[in-house]
Amino acid sequence: QVQLVESGGGLVQAGGSLRLSCAASGLTFSSYGMGWFRQAPGKERDIVAAISWSGGYARYVDSVKGRFTISRDNAKNTVYLQMNSLKPEDTAVYYCAATQGRVPREPYEYDYWGQGTQVTVSS
């Protein structure tokens, strides 16, 4: 079956960096667009970044532009989220997800989800 497994979360001070990874199995990874979402307590799950199946197109939410970079390695079936200049408001559980769409924004457009990894940014 399809599995998406996130790793790389943790506790970091404001201004620091983290690199999240999401390893996929059970699907033809190179045929799927991939997204990173986040959900803070009491809030909805929102998109952070998404990347097309080839890696040739990516989109970001405005609040992370210039700080976060999404990338993928189709040979390793892995998508990454490099997060720099982290802020306390980036604190959330981060999820990766796979979609047969291009790079949609809405959670319901994604077919498969990981279990999430916690990112906590202290001030």
Side-chain angles (χ1 to χ4, degrees):
Q1 76 271 23
V2 176
Q3 282 194 311
L4 302 177
V5 181
E6 301 98 335
S7 60
L11 173 65
V12 64
Q13 288 189 330
S17 297
L18 284 174
R19 188 195 197 203
L20 304 184
S21 300
C22 173
S25 61
L27 76 171
T28 305
F29 182 73
S30 58
S31 297
Y32 282 78
M34 298 297 296
W36 283 99
F37 289 77
R38 65 187 178 188
Q39 187 168 21
K43 296 191 176 181
E44 295 184 347
R45 189 173 299 188
D46 292 325
I47 193 164
V48 176
I51 190 167
S52 63
W53 64 269
S54 67
Y57 178 77
R59 68 186 306 169
Y60 299 88
V61 67
D62 286 347
S63 60
V64 308
K65 285 180 181 177
R67 300 189 298 123
F68 291 11
T69 303
I70 189 172
S71 61
R72 66 188 297 159
D73 185 338
N74 286 347
K76 295 182 178 180
N77 287 2
T78 301
V79 62
Y80 305 97
L81 186 68
Q82 178 67 45
M83 306 187 294
N84 299 328
S85 302
L86 282 160
K87 303 176 181 180
E89 51 263 44
D90 295 318
T91 295
V93 177
Y94 283 71
Y95 299 89
C96 73
T99 177
Q100 291 186 304
R102 191 166 183 230
V103 278
R105 298 179 55 87
E106 300 298 331
Y108 72 84
E109 297 183 273
Y110 285 76
D111 305 296
Y112 303 106
W113 291 84
Q115 81 290 348
T117 186
Q118 176 70 48
V119 171
T120 303
V121 184
S122 64
S123 57

